[in-house]
Amino acid sequence: MNLKGKGCLIPLIGIAAIVVIIVIFMISNYNKYVSAEENVDQKWSRIETDLQRRYDLIPNLVNTVKGFAQHEKEVIKQVTDARAELGGARTADEKAAANDQLQGALGRLLVVVENYPNLKSDVHFTQLMDELAGTENRIAVARGDYNDAVAEYNKMIKRFPGRLVAGIMGFDAKQYFQTTTESRTNPQVDFGTDGSTSLRFGNPRHADDLATAAGMRA
C-alpha cells in the first residue's frame, strides 16, 4: 500500500473508532434507561395494586355503613362517586387527583361514623377499617418509592449528554404521583380502646377541623 493509501486509511480508522465509541455509549445508556424505566414501572404497579385493594374494600365499607346509617346518603354517595372516579382514572395525574378525592370522601365518612356507636363497635366494620388503614399505609409507602424512582429516572434523561440519547431513543419524562396540600400523607385510621375514631391527615389544620367535627381532639 502506498503512502497515499495509508493516508486515506488513517482518517477512516479514526472515524470508525469514533462510531464504535458512540455506538457503545448509546447502547450502554439505552440499557441504563431501560432499567430505570422498568424500575419506575414496577413501583407504579405497586401503587396500582394498593389502589385496587382499597377500591375493592369500598363496596363492603359502604354497604356496612348503609346498614347502620341509612340517612347519610350524601356522604355515602360522595364515597361511591369518588371510587368511580378512581376506577376511571388512567394517567398518574388522574389517579392522584381521584385518590385525593376518595381520601377526602373517606374522611367525611369516618366523621359521620362518630354519630353511630353501634356501627363503630361492629366487628365487620372494625375489620374493614383495619384493612383500610393497612392499605392506606401501603399506598403511602408505594407512592414515596415511585416518586423516588421517577426522580432518579428523570434526572438521568435530562442531564447532558444523556438528554441527547434519551431524545433519540424516545425516553420521555415520567409523571410524579402528586397529591394536594391537604393529603400529602394518607389518612390514618385508629379505633381507640374507648371506641373513638382517630383520623389524621398530612395537613395538621385539616386534621384539627375533622377532629373538631367528630367531637374529639386531634
Side-chain angles (χ1 to χ4, degrees), residues 42-52 95 139 142-144 146-147 177:
Q42 288 178 355
K43 303 298 185 184
W44 177 249
S45 178
R46 280 187 57 195
I47 289 180
E48 290 195 311
T49 298
D50 293 330
L51 289 177
Q52 183 64 44
K95 286 183 181 291
I139 291 173
R143 184 179 64 214
Y146 169 78
N147 284 340
F177 193 86

Side-chain angles (χ1 to χ4, degrees), residues 44 48 51-52 55 83-98 146 175 177:
W44 177 249
E48 290 195 311
L51 289 177
Q52 183 64 44
Y55 182 87
R83 177 181 181 269
E85 287 290 331
L86 182 60
R90 293 293 176 264
T91 68
D93 284 345
E94 289 175 352
K95 286 183 181 291
Y146 169 78
Q175 295 176 317
F177 193 86

